[in-house]
Amino acid sequence: MERTIMPLVSIIIPAYNAENTIARTIKSALLQDYSNLEVIVVDDGSADSTLSICRDLAEKDSRAKIFTIKNSGPSAARNYALSKAKGLYVCFMDADDEMKPKMISQLVSNMTDDTDLVTCGYTVRSDNGDHAFDQNLEERSYSNDHFYEFVEETQEFKAFNPLWNKIFRRSIIENNNLHMDTMVNMGEDYLFIVNYCNMCLGGYKTLADNLYIYSLSQDGLQVTANRDGNLERRLDQIEILDDIFTQRNYPKQAISKEKLRIIYTSLLESNDVRNDLDMIRKNKYLDDIKLEKSNTAAKYTVFLNILRKNNRMIAYTAINLFKLMKKMQGKNFRWR
């Protein structure tokens, strides 16, 4: 019987002051049912015992490769790890999360010759470690020329932006000199993924299984940027996607949906709704949004119509109602 060759997979973990969670994270990677791995941990100048914990684990399993750099932020740590990676494929983790045992094997088995990116669903774990909810995707393949549909479907379940629920081809990253933008302190993962997808010649695939556990704990890799200004930042960053959609001659409403989704999400997370509403009106963000009601989720259509009334009281009431709906679904948290 011919033996199947298992390609090497590089799992990249940046870690900063993650002494409470890093062992659990690394062990979940090493205990995959897929054995041909290298787990690259970059200690980002931690001031606690993170580095010593990582080195102890590496002594017990040679697949764990530990590096340390001067504190420079998660993007610099990931870039450093990419320079050391040798795998055919690359995956990412955060230092307070876990992979379920079959994650790598399922991601690799779906990276066929005509597929360049595979994305899975995930489980969200609350601050106290309890199960909060699952983000479920459908099992589906998208051809390269239907990138906009891949974006739309995964964005609806907050599954497009994260690095950690995906597997990438290292050759695409290296051949196109892709890297994390160290000048961006929020949304750098989104920009990396957009650029990666634009360089793919093959298609994209989503898996129905939830294979990653995303933790809302306060340990591990933390984003410390001020969340005020998220609306403006997100709309600025979406311009790169707008350019790609325009170059590919995608339907106009494809980018309209993404802009409206950003406005919806940002207003529901905003610390200053009044300022964000004024900014939306001042910059006329709603003017170029054109939607086909039959192809747009009802909540977005209703939200857009409310905002276009330019009545702050009605907008406040609507935003609070939408927040209440999220709370009833158990999803009333703010992403880091």
Side-chain angles (χ1 to χ4, degrees):
M1 182 176 176
E2 186 176 348
R3 193 174 176 183
T4 303
I5 298 175
M6 300 173 67
L8 179 66
V9 178
S10 301
I11 301 175
I12 290 174
I13 309 173
Y16 176 70
N17 288 351
E19 62 182 11
N20 294 327
T21 60
I22 191 62
R24 181 185 69 199
T25 299
I26 294 173
K27 287 177 182 177
S28 78
L30 293 173
L31 291 174
Q32 292 291 299
D33 65 1
Y34 187 99
S35 60
N36 196 17
L37 304 168
E38 60 172 6
V39 180
I40 303 174
V41 184
V42 178
D43 175 71
D44 187 26
S46 295
D48 62 4
S49 60
T50 296
L51 182 57
S52 62
I53 292 171
C54 292
R55 285 174 172 166
D56 286 345
L57 289 170
E59 287 182 3
K60 299 172 184 175
D61 194 322
S62 62
R63 294 176 301 165
K65 321 240 181 237
I66 313 302
F67 301 92
T68 183
I69 62 173
K70 180 181 178 181
N71 182 247
S72 307
S75 290
R78 290 187 179 112
N79 287 338
Y80 185 85
L82 283 171
S83 74
K84 300 295 182 181
K86 294 180 173 60
L88 180 66
Y89 303 125
V90 174
C91 294
F92 295 89
M93 295 185 73
D94 283 355
D96 51 354
D97 297 344
E98 294 175 64
M99 288 180 167
K100 295 181 182 179
K102 294 183 180 295
M103 179 168 177
I104 297 299
S105 61
Q106 292 199 33
L107 291 176
V108 170
S109 66
N110 282 278
M111 282 289 273
T112 54
D113 291 342
D114 59 354
T115 302
D116 285 336
L117 182 74
V118 179
T119 302
C120 65
Y122 56 95
T123 294
V124 176
R125 184 167 51 200
S126 64
D127 287 338
N128 60 11
D130 293 338
H131 173 273
F133 61 90
D134 295 320
Q135 290 285 43
N136 300 301
L137 298 173
E138 292 184 3
E139 185 99 7
R140 183 177 172 186
S141 294
Y142 302 81
S143 62
N144 185 272
D145 59 349
H146 281 255
F147 173 45
Y148 69 96
E149 291 183 353
F150 172 71
V151 174
E152 179 180 345
E153 293 298 320
T154 52
Q155 283 284 31
E156 186 61 27
F157 297 97
K158 296 187 183 296
F160 179 79
N161 292 20
L163 293 165
W164 35 254
N165 65 335
K166 298 173 176 65
I167 190 167
F168 304 83
R169 291 190 188 276
R170 186 167 65 89
S171 60
I172 294 177
I173 295 172
E174 289 195 346
N175 292 343
N176 295 283
N177 193 29
L178 299 178
H179 58 275
M180 308 295 161
D181 189 341
T182 57
M183 302 303 292
V184 176
N185 59 12
M186 286 193 75
E188 70 282 1
D189 43 2
Y190 167 82
L191 296 173
F192 178 87
I193 292 165
V194 169
N195 283 317
Y196 177 91
C197 288
N198 191 41
M199 296 301 171
C200 292
L201 297 178
Y204 324 98
K205 186 167 186 180
T206 53
L207 304 182
D209 289 336
N210 296 327
L211 301 173
Y212 191 86
I213 301 173
Y214 174 79
S215 176
L216 292 173
S217 72
Q218 296 304 308
D219 296 310
L221 185 66
Q222 294 292 309
V223 174
T224 57
N226 192 333
R227 293 191 64 93
D228 291 340
N230 263 355
L231 173 61
E232 191 171 15
R233 172 186 61 80
R234 287 166 170 165
L235 288 172
D236 283 345
Q237 290 181 342
I238 203 178
E239 290 304 316
I240 186 175
L241 191 67
D242 195 355
D243 289 343
I244 293 169
F245 282 15
T246 300
Q247 291 168 12
R248 295 190 178 200
N249 199 30
Y250 286 158
K252 178 64 178 175
Q253 80 155 1
I255 198 65
S256 288
K257 284 183 179 180
E258 295 313 307
K259 288 181 178 177
L260 182 55
R261 194 191 320 275
I262 285 172
I263 291 170
Y264 171 86
T265 301
S266 297
L267 284 175
L268 265 59
E269 292 180 347
S270 178
N271 286 327
D272 192 347
V273 174
R274 179 188 300 272
N275 180 68
D276 283 344
L277 286 172
D278 288 343
M279 184 169 59
I280 289 169
R281 187 178 301 110
K282 178 182 177 181
N283 293 291
K284 301 181 178 180
Y285 288 142
L286 303 178
D287 289 4
D288 63 346
I289 294 180
K290 302 185 184 304
L291 302 173
E292 295 176 16
K293 291 182 180 180
S294 60
N295 294 321
T296 307
K299 66 180 180 181
Y300 297 121
T301 302
V302 170
F303 200 72
L304 177 61
N305 290 334
I306 289 171
L307 293 184
R308 280 180 167 163
K309 292 181 183 298
N310 286 328
N311 186 310
R312 187 174 286 164
M313 183 65 70
I314 293 175
Y316 280 162
T317 302
I319 289 167
N320 286 329
L321 285 173
F322 279 107
K323 284 182 177 179
L324 179 60
M325 288 169 57
K326 287 185 70 174
K327 184 175 182 179
M328 292 172 65
Q329 295 171 341
K331 299 182 179 182
N332 62 320
F333 61 89
R334 302 169 73 184
W335 295 92
R336 288 180 296 155

